[in-house]
Amino acid sequence: VCFMLSLAADRGGVRSRGPWHHDWVLELSGSAQLRSRGETPGSSLLRAEDEQAVVLFAGILTNTRELDPPRKAGTAADVLLHVFHRDGMSLVSRLRGPFALFVYERGSRRFWAARDHVGQQPLYVARTGSSWLFSGSPIVLDREPGVRSGADPVALSEFLCGWYPAV
């Protein structure tokens, strides 16, 4: 599952908050900046960045060698930043293992979110006003300000009818 959002406004930001291990939240609210807060040693949300892009990765990459990473790549996020620059988002079809991947392209101000093909690594999404929230846990999302608990009757009826809303 992969989708992309273009950032249009210059307010808010994209930030990640901890503690981690399915207790992470990313907030996308329309800025060209990515800020991380609360990352701790042993975090399950790995980060790699350069002047062109930011990669955040949670999970396990089981085919790192097949992706032909540079020798100096340290973490899965470092490997994916390198592969993203080489292959773009087509890299998602080549990834194996349970993962959630977030890529922010600074120049084009595009934000990509993807998760593994089987759905082992959970990725939950909520919309609050002008922000999008991403997390590995619905419980963590429910604790966020502005997120309503309970079923959304419109979304539920669309899902049951096979109508999937566009993102």
Side-chain angles (χ1 to χ4, degrees):
V1 175
C2 181
F3 59 93
M4 184 272 296
L5 297 171
S6 288
L7 304 177
D10 273 341
R11 59 187 183 281
V14 180
R15 63 184 186 275
S16 54
R17 296 187 291 252
W20 310 106
H21 193 68
H22 293 305
D23 210 13
W24 48 266
V25 174
L26 288 175
E27 182 177 352
L28 175 67
S29 58
S31 173
Q33 297 178 1
L34 185 86
R35 294 184 303 269
S36 288
R37 292 191 225 157
E39 290 187 51
T40 59
S43 166
S44 70
L45 189 64
L46 303 174
R47 179 187 179 112
E49 65 182 292
D50 60 19
E51 60 282 343
Q52 298 169 353
V54 179
V55 169
L56 295 163
F57 179 83
I60 300 169
L61 257 181
T62 60
N63 66 330
T64 304
R65 288 187 183 154
E66 293 172 26
L67 299 173
D68 191 28
R71 290 181 186 237
K72 63 182 176 174
T75 67
D78 295 324
V79 169
L80 294 173
L81 180 63
H82 170 77
V83 176
F84 172 74
H85 286 313
R86 187 184 67 209
D87 302 340
M89 283 309 292
S90 68
L91 75 95
V92 173
S93 65
R94 297 178 35 223
L95 302 181
R96 300 293 175 263
F99 68 87
L101 170 67
F102 307 94
V103 178
Y104 176 69
E105 293 180 271
R106 296 180 198 265
S108 62
R109 297 172 42 163
R110 288 186 291 187
F111 178 83
W112 297 84
R115 75 157 201 217
D116 64 274
H117 307 83
V118 179
Q120 281 184 292
Q121 177 72 32
L123 178 58
Y124 298 92
V125 181
R127 180 104 196 230
T128 61
S130 63
S131 296
W132 289 88
L133 300 173
F134 302 87
S135 180
S137 167
I139 295 167
V140 173
L141 275 183
D142 190 45
R143 286 188 233 144
E144 290 295 310
V147 174
R148 294 180 307 148
S149 356
D152 178 337
V154 174
L156 182 59
S157 66
E158 289 175 346
F159 176 78
L160 292 174
C161 293
W163 304 330
Y164 301 103
V167 175

